[in-house]
Amino acid sequence: QAIPPERLVEVRFEDLERDGMGEIRQIYETLALPGWALAETPIRRYLASQQSYQKNRYPQDPRLGRRINQRWRFAFDAWGYEPIEADAA
């Protein structure tokens, strides 16, 4: 509440992964940041250079996953995230 809406942009990581260029453009537009014309090409190049990046994967403790789901359910619900697959570890 202390941050004026025109100074705040919330970005889901999944959306950034799916459409990085579109999300970054939206950030510039929402915050009325100057310099998009200069930033667009270097950002596009950087995103293209990351196309083969593979996220790290770690084994997950099912008990910890269940605890996280229980304690953070309010956040998952508020932002539309699926619970952690605690039993699939």
Side-chain angles (χ1 to χ4, degrees), residues 40-54:
E40 183 176 7
T41 298
I43 291 169
R44 191 175 302 280
R45 280 191 204 124
Y46 174 76
L47 292 175
S49 77
Q50 300 302 304
Q51 289 296 318
S52 62
Y53 176 77
Q54 296 289 317

Side-chain angles (χ1 to χ4, degrees), residues 13-42:
F13 182 72
E14 294 85 353
D15 295 340
L16 190 60
E17 279 186 308
R18 180 184 44 75
D19 180 20
M21 201 65 198
E23 289 296 310
I24 295 170
R25 179 181 293 118
Q26 183 64 37
I27 292 167
Y28 267 77
E29 289 173 3
T30 301
L31 297 177
L33 297 174
W36 175 249
L38 293 173
E40 183 176 7
T41 298

Side-chain angles (χ1 to χ4, degrees), residues 64-83:
L64 179 59
R66 286 189 290 274
R67 276 182 69 193
I68 292 169
N69 286 339
Q70 181 182 27
R71 291 188 180 186
W72 285 92
R73 180 177 195 91
F74 73 94
F76 295 155
D77 291 345
W79 289 297
Y81 283 96
E82 293 294 321

